Amino acid sequence: MKRVLVIDGGGLKGFIPLQVLQHIEWVTKRPIWETFDLIVGTSVGAILGGLFACGGLDANAVVELMDDTAPDMFKRRPWPLLPKYSRKKFLAAWGREVPDMTIGDCPTKLMTTSVNLCDGRTHYFKSDDPKDAPLSLVDAVTRSFAAPMFFGGIVDEDRKAVWLDGGTGVDNCPLLEALYEVVARGWVNERTHVLSLGCGFVREGMSFKRARRRVGKTVREVVAFMDPKEGGMARQQSIDSRVSIAHRIVEVVPGLTMQRLDVKIPAKIDKLDGREYIKRYREFGRALAGQVDVTLLQ
């Protein structure tokens, strides 16, 4: 049986799926990189995916690393410039904890996402693809969390590309691409289980009376479109659509099973850089962990 792990983007809300993964390790008594045959991640999902896929860290070590590093990563630079944060603290911590290796060296197959500003397309870096395998693991990860305003794009002179956070495209939830990989690799012939982890969502909506007042008011309509604030209405609808399509695919593909786990969080804490809410994210993650069907992972 093959097992695939998919982790959405979400900045510091990545502590939510991280708590789920820590619980899985505690129950299965195996490190994540041994439990899963393929890990697919966007943005913080790529960070977590890279940390686990490299094979040297268990969940407790990843939690400790994120606890030590994440608050400093999202410490605002002292001058009013963009991007708001520097990658230096992340790169320093990564260099201390993760061996200098290529994505192809990972003992667990890994796939990360990034948008190339030059061609406007989402690209998927795959550890067992000959053209991607020589790419350093840290590059495959940092390209995926190169969020505009937050950390900024990455200029790639070799490929003549400018890489942006994978979540700037449609693959903040890379679930459908993960299912495609399952089919392309022929894994459905030997049974495959996909575990897809979200980073919390907000779905507030509004009353008809309130919505009606926004019609014709350009600014109000734009604000409505941008809700939820961290990603916009289009992103949330894209995730909903992808999850719905994924469930329909699983229904008609023999040998394929899937569990999608996500949790509704208060709008107040729906922030990519909510350092002050890390404790709350962990609490939501621990609550979500109890819903994992661990029998399919043992």
Side-chain angles (χ1 to χ4, degrees), residues 88-236:
K88 290 181 179 179
K89 292 186 181 294
F90 169 82
L91 294 173
W94 185 279
R96 289 193 303 269
E97 302 295 334
V98 181
D100 183 11
M101 60 194 299
T102 68
I103 189 173
D105 293 329
C106 293
T108 299
K109 293 179 178 62
L110 175 67
M111 188 166 75
T112 65
T113 70
S114 185
V115 173
N116 181 3
L117 185 59
C118 296
D119 64 14
R121 298 176 57 192
T122 300
H123 292 250
Y124 309 94
F125 303 114
K126 305 175 185 180
S127 60
D128 56 348
D129 187 319
K131 75 176 186 303
D132 294 331
L135 180 67
S136 70
L137 177 58
V138 68
D139 283 345
V141 169
T142 53
R143 290 176 184 181
S144 193
F145 76 86
M149 291 184 61
F150 289 91
F151 294 100
I154 295 176
V155 178
D156 181 357
E157 295 288 355
D158 292 335
R159 295 199 185 191
K160 301 302 179 187
V162 175
W163 302 109
L164 300 180
D165 191 295
T168 59
V170 297
D171 269 349
N172 196 57
C173 170
L175 178 55
L176 290 185
E177 190 65 25
L179 291 181
Y180 171 79
E181 285 297 307
V182 169
V183 174
R185 294 167 185 267
W187 286 358
V188 290
N189 297 326
E190 51 182 306
R191 293 185 62 221
T192 298
H193 179 65
V194 177
L195 175 62
S196 174
L197 301 178
C199 289
F201 65 91
V202 173
R203 189 176 288 108
E204 291 183 293
M206 63 183 70
S207 67
F208 172 74
K209 183 178 180 180
R210 183 183 173 196
R212 185 176 181 177
R213 285 201 302 266
R214 291 175 181 247
V215 176
K217 309 294 193 303
T218 304
V219 174
R220 289 187 177 185
E221 285 188 329
V222 169
V223 171
F225 176 75
M226 291 302 295
D227 285 339
K229 296 178 181 62
E230 300 299 334
M233 184 186 297
R235 171 179 289 181
Q236 185 57 57

Side-chain angles (χ1 to χ4, degrees), residues 254-271:
L256 181 61
T257 57
M258 183 187 81
Q259 184 175 25
R260 167 71 179 180
L261 292 178
D262 205 352
V263 59
K264 186 176 181 179
I265 61 176
K268 178 182 177 181
I269 70 172
D270 185 29
K271 296 180 178 295

